[in-house]
Amino acid sequence: MNIGLVLSGGTGTRMGTELPKQYGTIAGKPVLVHTLEQFQRCAEIDFVVAVAAPEWEPRIWNWKEAYSLSKLTAIAFAGPSRQQSIRNGLLAAEPFAGTELDNIIVQDAARPLTSQDLLSRLLQGLKEAPCVMPVLPVTDTTYTSRGGEWVDGLLDRGTLYAGQAPEAFHYQPYLKLYRETPTDVLSSMSGSCQLPWSRGWKVKMIPGEPGNLKITYPMDLDICEKTLLEMEGSV
C-alpha cells in the first residue's frame, strides 16, 4: 500500500500575505487542491492524509467533495514544527495502513507542479532503499560565511545537491522513528529525510525536476499558474 502525506500547516510568512500560500487560488483552484490532485491521479497511491491547521479542516473536506478527491482519507492537525506535523500525519495514516510493506510519500502542499513520473520514480527507488529524495545538482558557485558579510570559504559544487520534496519512505520504520524521537529533537530538524539520515538510514538520491517549484514568493504563484494553465491546454 502506498500513502500520500501532504503537509499544509505552514503560515507562508515569506509571501507577505495573510492567506497561507497553499490556500491561494491559481488556475481556478486552491494550491492545495492542485497538490492533492497529483496523488488522486497517481494509480500507485492508495490513500492520502493531509495535515492542516484545525480552522482549515472543514474547508478541506468541502474541497474533497467539490474536486472529487476520493483518496483523501484523513486530516491531521498541524504541529508547531514541520517535524511534529509529519509525526501527526504518520499517526493519522496508521488506522488505514496495511502491512510492513507500506510506503509513504511526504509532500509539501505548496508544490503543485510535481509530476506523475517523479512520484513513480520515488516509489521505484524504495525497492533499493528505505528513504528516497529527489535532488538537483547545485550549479552556482557556493561560498560559506559565518556572518553573511565576508566570505569564509568556497565549497566544491561538484559534491553539492539541493533536496526537493516529495520524499518517500518505508512507512512502518519511518513511523517508528517518529514515535521514538523526543519532540525537542524533532523540532531541531527541518527536512523529511533529516531524521532517518541522522539515525543511519541510507538515503537514496534520484534526479529531481527543475519545474517542481515550491511556492515561496509572490512571483512563484504567477509561474505556477501559467504552467498549470499551459498543462491544461488553456493558454
Side-chain angles (χ1 to χ4, degrees):
M1 183 174 291
N2 297 316
I3 307 159
L5 175 57
V6 179
L7 304 176
S8 189
T11 57
T13 53
R14 282 176 288 184
M15 289 287 290
T17 60
E18 291 184 6
L19 184 70
K21 58 193 176 185
Q22 64 271 27
Y23 300 123
T25 298
I26 57 173
K29 302 173 187 176
V31 171
L32 172 61
V33 170
H34 287 289
T35 304
L36 290 170
E37 286 181 333
Q38 298 165 358
F39 290 113
Q40 185 68 32
R41 290 191 293 266
C42 183
E44 295 161 281
I45 295 295
D46 296 287
F47 70 90
V48 178
V49 175
V51 180
E55 61 267 27
W56 285 97
E57 182 183 15
R59 205 171 312 189
I60 294 172
W61 285 128
N62 287 338
W63 290 337
K64 170 180 177 170
E65 298 304 319
Y67 296 103
S68 300
L69 300 170
S70 61
K71 291 183 182 179
L72 179 59
T73 303
I75 299 175
F77 290 161
S81 71
R82 176 187 175 87
Q83 299 302 315
Q84 288 169 265
S85 290
I86 291 175
R87 178 160 63 185
N88 292 351
L90 292 171
L91 291 170
E94 190 173 21
F96 310 99
T99 69
E100 291 291 328
L101 301 178
D102 291 344
N103 302 311
I104 191 162
I105 296 180
V106 180
Q107 173 66 304
D108 296 325
R111 287 188 187 266
L113 301 180
T114 302
S115 73
Q116 298 294 295
D117 178 68
L118 180 53
L119 295 178
S120 293
R121 288 191 290 113
L122 284 166
L123 293 171
Q124 285 296 313
L126 289 175
K127 295 178 180 179
E128 302 177 28
C131 179
V132 185
M133 173 177 62
V135 300
L136 295 174
V138 173
T139 57
D140 292 328
T141 301
T142 305
Y143 300 89
T144 62
S145 174
R146 291 180 180 85
E149 184 176 4
W150 303 98
V151 171
D152 295 324
L154 174 66
L155 299 177
D156 178 8
R157 68 183 182 189
T159 67
L160 300 177
Y161 295 84
Q164 292 186 317
E167 295 137 300
F169 309 89
H170 292 166
Y171 170 69
Q172 295 292 348
Y174 195 51
L175 172 62
K176 186 172 185 291
L177 274 185
Y178 274 84
R179 281 191 192 278
E180 296 175 347
T181 303
T183 297
D184 61 324
V185 176
L186 285 179
S187 299
S188 69
M189 298 182 174
S190 53
S192 305
C193 288
Q194 188 173 351
L195 176 59
W197 180 80
S198 73
R199 296 297 188 269
W201 286 31
K202 290 187 176 296
V203 180
K204 181 177 176 59
M205 301 192 304
I206 64 171
E209 298 176 336
N212 180 26
L213 179 68
K214 181 181 181 181
I215 297 172
T216 305
Y217 301 105
M219 70 175 64
D220 297 333
L221 283 170
D222 296 332
I223 295 170
C224 285
E225 180 166 54
K226 183 175 184 294
T227 302
L228 286 166
L229 289 173
E230 288 174 348
M231 291 167 59
E232 294 170 4
S234 300
V235 173

